[in-house]
Amino acid sequence: AIKEATFGMGCFWEPAESLLKQPGVLATTVGYTGAPPNKPPPSYDTVCFGNDYVEAVRVVYDDTILDYTTLLDKFFEVQKPGLSRQYASIVFVTDNNEEEEVNKWKTAAIKTKVKRTSDNLPYELVEIEPTSSFYRAEEYHQRYWEKQRLRAGLAVLLVAGASGAYDDFGGGVIGNFELGGLAFDTICNAVFLVGAGWMILERLVVRDVRELKSGDMILEL
């Protein structure tokens, strides 16, 4: 069956990408959850400067390929928890059966004194909470590192173009190219500056947080 699970994993950018690489994981979305029901919908700013919401990753997975216990192992392995509520390590459970399974998984690990091999992170750090309203984070947070790698590559190409690195390509065709009276290196420089400006601006103006109900991600596959 296709199922959903929600985890608080610290800063959600890298864990969301790491989980998406696991066989059986069909989709991940980063968002905010864990606040009391009377709290208004969050934004990245209110999460950063508040003590209610948790940065979380909602996962859609096929339990015929990846069972829930193995998914819990992957969650623990790739999480990046911090000290604040925002970056807490939490498994959000949907019912008593799921809560029992998580408690069994956590208790077994604690009894055997298992810790994460990379940094000795203890299983005692993992909290268990009931699922609450989940808000999909702003679009610029989704698949964040994938976007940043692409942007970084384009930035390198544009900086090279602005510095004249391509001027001799094609027998000097690129160096002599103009568009609207603007030289190729000027165009590269302008595009770079516009792109850099937009990265700053989107952080300030984009407010497309929306609530995801249980099952919404499955319907969107």
Side-chain angles (χ1 to χ4, degrees):
I2 307 300
K3 296 183 177 181
E4 291 180 344
T6 305
F7 305 108
M9 307 180 69
C11 180
F12 47 31
W13 295 332
E14 186 176 346
E17 183 177 54
S18 297
L19 281 180
L20 190 58
K21 295 176 181 177
Q22 303 302 322
V25 173
L26 306 179
T28 61
T29 292
V30 300
Y32 316 117
T33 191
N38 61 334
K39 291 294 179 179
S43 68
Y44 188 54
D45 291 331
T46 60
V47 173
C48 288
F49 297 105
N51 295 305
D52 297 304
Y53 281 98
V54 177
E55 289 195 18
V57 180
R58 178 158 287 183
V59 182
V60 177
Y61 67 102
D62 185 341
D63 73 349
T64 64
I65 301 173
L66 179 69
D67 63 63
Y68 187 58
T69 301
T70 304
L71 180 59
L72 290 172
D73 291 336
K74 296 299 181 183
F75 143 75
F76 188 77
E77 179 184 328
V78 304
Q79 64 175 326
K80 304 285 184 180
L83 299 177
S84 65
R85 171 70 177 170
Q86 177 184 358
Y87 297 135
S89 173
I90 303 174
V91 179
F92 293 95
V93 294
T94 57
D95 54 35
N96 291 335
N97 290 335
E98 209 166 77
E99 183 176 6
E100 182 179 341
E101 190 167 353
V102 177
N103 274 312
K104 182 179 178 181
W105 165 82
K106 179 180 176 180
T107 300
I110 293 173
K111 282 184 177 179
T112 56
K113 299 182 179 179
V114 175
K115 294 184 179 181
R116 190 162 67 177
T117 55
S118 60
D119 57 5
N120 287 325
L121 186 75
Y123 278 77
E124 287 89 343
L125 189 69
V126 178
E127 301 174 36
I128 304 169
E129 295 185 11
T131 298
S132 54
S133 296
F134 181 93
Y135 295 88
R136 184 182 188 273
E138 296 87 346
E139 183 59 36
Y140 61 84
H141 288 300
Q142 309 299 328
R143 307 187 78 140
Y144 182 83
W145 286 119
E146 182 180 321
K147 294 174 183 175
Q148 296 311 307
R149 285 191 290 270
L150 176 60
R151 287 172 171 175
L154 290 173
V156 169
L157 293 175
L158 289 169
V159 169
S163 67
Y166 311 131
D167 287 357
D168 294 332
F169 281 26
V173 172
I174 292 181
N176 295 322
F177 176 82
E178 290 188 358
L179 180 64
L182 297 177
F184 182 75
D185 58 349
T186 302
I187 295 171
C188 288
N189 189 55
V191 173
F192 174 82
L193 292 175
V194 169
W198 170 245
M199 288 180 63
I200 296 172
L201 187 62
E202 69 175 345
R203 169 70 176 79
L204 298 175
V205 303
V206 174
R207 294 290 185 268
D208 54 347
V209 174
R210 61 184 175 89
E211 185 175 2
L212 289 181
K213 300 293 186 181
S214 177
D216 279 357
M217 284 181 62
I218 297 174
L219 295 175
E220 292 175 0
L221 288 177

